[in-house]
Amino acid sequence: KEQEDRRQAEAMIDTFLEWQRQNVNEIIGVEAGFRIEIAGRTIKGYIDRVEKTKDGQYCVIDFKTGSKSETGNTIRENIQMNVYALAVLKMYGKLPARASLYYIKSNDTVDYLPDNEIIDVQRERLEEMIKAVLAEKFGPTPSFNGCRFCDYEGICEAKESEI
């Protein structure tokens, strides 16, 4: 198992290095720290990588070592990628032209092209989530995978009626 893990790690390093050799963008931030305000609350974090294209556009890259879990359709709703887009807007004065998840293991990229309309919708969604947390509203969100790992699975009425 240890040797197999090492082989996979070495393969991912080789994949990343080849990807890096082909990348023509300028790296302007690695583990770029940010702090933004949403609904009167501070959200802070780190963006794996911020790049600038030759035509002056910004790109966000979030590196993933696991299996691909997002698609071109689902990434638009990804909270992390939308927070990163808002952070780039604050840091550099404009939205990134592209925010991407780069899955190193499969050498696969899932791109998101944020625009003002999408970002406004996602900012409202984040504001509602923050308000719900502050109001201690944690309603059930039944789903097959969610319920399987939930500590309340055995006593949850929503699971019984929704799934």
Side-chain angles (χ1 to χ4, degrees), residues 8-84:
Q8 285 183 358
E10 288 172 350
M12 285 195 300
I13 290 169
D14 291 342
T15 299
F16 171 80
L17 292 173
E18 181 58 30
W19 175 84
Q20 176 59 40
R21 272 191 285 280
Q22 294 177 19
N23 189 342
V24 297
N25 294 336
E26 173 190 0
I27 301 168
I28 60 170
V30 175
E31 287 297 313
F34 67 86
R35 187 181 209 106
I36 60 174
E37 297 287 325
I38 298 179
R41 298 295 176 183
T42 300
I43 297 176
K44 58 183 180 175
Y46 298 90
I47 301 171
D48 287 350
R49 183 151 132 172
V50 181
E51 302 176 343
K52 194 171 191 180
T53 65
K54 290 181 181 181
D55 62 350
Q57 298 297 315
Y58 295 99
C59 299
V60 168
I61 308 290
D62 188 46
F63 297 105
K64 300 294 186 191
T65 56
S67 299
K68 184 177 172 184
S69 61
E70 293 281 358
T71 67
N73 292 328
T74 64
I75 194 171
R76 294 168 51 102
E77 302 291 320
N78 183 296
I79 293 171
Q80 179 183 18
M81 299 308 285
N82 282 290
V83 167
Y84 289 170

